[in-house]
C-alpha cells in the first residue's frame, strides 16, 4: 500500500490588483465625493475660496487613497498568507521526503551466485547473462564435495570478500539467515561461521545468531528508524544439503551494514565511507502498483532517475506492469530478471537481489529498484538502492 503521505493542495497566490477592474470604482468614488462636496456646500457662500477647492479636490483624493489603501492591505495580507502556506507546505513535504529517504548505509557487500559471474557486470546493457530459467542451479564449485566441505568453502569465500570491510572493528553482531533445510543444522552453521570469521580476523569478536529465512523488507523496515545503530553483518545463504533435485537455486549474500551514530537523522554524517544505501521499502500489490511507483520516484529517486530494475519471484504480468509504469521517452530503465540469471528463486530471494543491486552499484552509480515477491505471499516488496554518498533530504 502507498505510504500515508497527505496530498497537499496547491497554494494559489493572489492576483495583482487589476487597474482595469478598479478604475471604474475609483472614478465613481471620486465623483461621488465631489458631488457630495458640491451638494453640501452652503448655498450662496463663495466658491472662490481655498477651503472650497481644498474640499472639492481633497475629499475625492482622500477617499480614493483610503479605498486603494484598504485594497492594497487586503492584497498584502493574502500574499502573506500564501507565502506562509507555501513555506509550511514545503516544510511538510521535506519532512515526508526525509522520512521516505531514511536509509541503512552499507559498508561492504558481496554476492555469490551459482555460476562464477561478476555480479557488478550484470547491469551492463550489453552484458552476456547466464540463462537458468525454470531450473535450479547449484554452486558450480561444489560438485562432488560433501556438505561439510561445501559449507566451509562458502564461508571462506565470504570471509575473504569482507575481510577489508571488517578490519578495524572490535565486535560485531552477525545475523546468519538460512533456508529451512540448512536451518536444521543451526548449531553447526553458527559454530563454523564464528570460527571462520574469528580465525581470519584476529581480535574481532563475532556474535553469531542463525535465524530462519526472514522477510527482507520487514527486517529493513524494523531497523531503518533505529537511531544509534551499531554495525551489523547479515549473511543470507540458501544452499542444498545434497545433490537431489532441488526447488531453488543456490546463492548467498553478505551485507555489512555500517554503524549509524546517534543523532544521524539530525546531523546526517557517517563516520566512514559507504558503498551504498538501502532506502525505506514499500509493500505493494497489483491495485496500488502505479501509485506506489509514483511515490517512490517522487520521494526517493527524484531528481535522479532509476537506472535498473531487478525483479525476482514476480509474475510476468507484474513485471511488465512495473516496467510500463517506470519507462518513459525521457528515461529507459534497464530491467533484469534475477530468476532468469540464477534460476528458481529461493526463500532468500530478496536478500540475493538486493545484494546484486548493491554490488553492481559500486561500478554503475545511480538509484536502482529491487522488486521481489516471496513464496506464498500476495504482496510484493519494493526497495530502492542508492550507490555512494547521499543526503537524507
Amino acid at each position: 500500500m502507498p505510504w500515508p503521505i497527505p496530498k497537499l493542495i496547491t497554494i494559489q497566490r493572489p492576483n495583482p490588483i487589476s487597474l482595469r477592474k478598479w478604475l471604474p470604482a475609483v472614478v465613481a468614488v471620486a465623483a461621488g465625493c465631489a458631488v457630495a462636496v458640491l451638494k453640501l456646500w452652503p448655498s450662496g457662500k463663495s466658491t472662490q475660496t481655498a477651503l472650497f477647492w481644498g474640499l472639492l479636490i481633497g475629499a475625492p483624493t482622500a477617499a480614493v487613497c483610503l479605498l486603494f489603501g484598504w485594497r492594497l492591505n487586503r492584497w498584502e495580507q493574502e500574499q502573506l498568507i500564501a507565502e506562509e502556506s507555501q513555506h509550511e507546505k514545503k516544510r511538510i513535504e521535506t519532512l515526508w521526503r526525509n522520512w521516505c529517504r531514511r536509509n541503512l548505509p552499507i559498508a561492504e557487500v558481496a554476492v555469490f551466485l551459482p555460476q562464477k559471474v561478476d555480479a557488478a557486470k550484470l547491469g551492463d546493457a550489453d552484458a552476456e547473462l547466464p540463462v537458468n530459467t525454470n531450473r535450479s542451479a547449484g554452486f558450480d564449485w561444489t560438485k562432488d564435495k560433501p556438505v561439510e566441505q561445501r559449507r566451509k568453502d562458502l564461508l571462506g569465500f565470504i570471509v575473504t570478500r569482507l575481510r577489508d570491510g571488517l578490519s578495524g572493528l572490535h565486535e560485531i553482531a552477525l545475523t546468519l539467515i538460512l533456508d529451512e533445510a540448512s536451518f536444521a543444522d543451526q548449531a553447526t552453521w553458527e559454530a563454523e561461521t564464528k570460527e571462520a570469521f574469528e580465525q581470519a580476523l584476529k581480535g574481532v569478536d563475532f556474535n553469531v545468531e542463525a535465524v530462519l529465512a526472514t522477510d527482507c523488507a520487514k527486517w529493513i523496515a524494523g531497523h531503518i528508524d533505529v537511531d544509534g545503530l551499531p554495525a551489523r553483518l547479515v549473511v543470507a545463504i540458501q544452499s542444498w544439503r545434497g545433490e537431489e533435485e532441488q526447488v531453488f537455486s543456490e546463492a548467498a549474500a553478505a551485507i555489512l551494514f555500517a554503524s549509524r551514530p546517534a543523532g544521524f537523522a539530525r546531523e546526517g554524517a557517517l563516520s566512514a565511507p559507504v558503498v551504498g544505501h538501502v532506502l525505506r521499502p514499500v509493500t505493494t500489490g497489483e491495485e496500488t502498483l502505479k501509485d506506489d511507483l509514483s511515490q517512490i520516484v517522487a520521494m526517493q529517486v527524484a531528481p535522479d532517475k532509476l537506472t535498473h530494475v531487478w525483479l525476482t519471484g514476480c509474475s510476468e504480468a507484474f513485471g511488465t506492469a512495473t516496467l510500463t509504469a517506470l519507462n518513459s521517452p525521457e528515461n529507459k530503465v534497464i530491467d533484469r530478471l534475477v530468476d532468469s540469471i540464477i534460476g528458481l528463486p529461493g526463500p532468500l530471494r530478496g536478500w540475493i537481489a538486493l545484494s546484486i543491486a548493491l554490488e553492481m552499484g559500486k561500478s554503475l552509480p545511480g538509484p536502482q529498484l529491487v522488486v521481489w515477491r516471496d513464496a506464498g505471499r500476495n504482496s510484493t516488496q519494493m526497495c530502492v538502492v542508492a550507490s555512494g554518498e547521499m543526503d537524507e533530504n
Side-chain angles (χ1 to χ4, degrees), residues 99-155:
W99 182 84
C100 294
R101 287 173 63 83
R102 183 77 169 178
N103 61 83
L104 293 174
I106 308 301
E108 190 55 82
V109 62
V111 61
F112 303 87
L113 304 180
Q115 295 170 310
K116 289 184 178 180
V117 295
D118 187 356
K121 302 299 182 182
L122 293 178
D124 294 348
D126 56 351
E128 294 185 6
L129 305 176
V131 178
N132 290 298
T133 306
N134 295 327
R135 76 183 191 92
S136 57
F139 291 124
D140 55 8
W141 43 266
T142 62
K143 293 180 180 179
D144 302 324
K145 291 183 179 181
V147 175
E148 295 76 11
Q149 187 60 47
R150 292 164 59 183
R151 181 167 52 238
K152 289 182 180 296
D153 289 348
L154 177 57
L155 290 173

Side-chain angles (χ1 to χ4, degrees), residues 379-391:
S379 59
T380 303
Q381 310 297 333
M382 298 190 296
C383 187
V384 170
V385 169
S387 58
E389 301 295 332
M390 68 171 289
D391 298 325

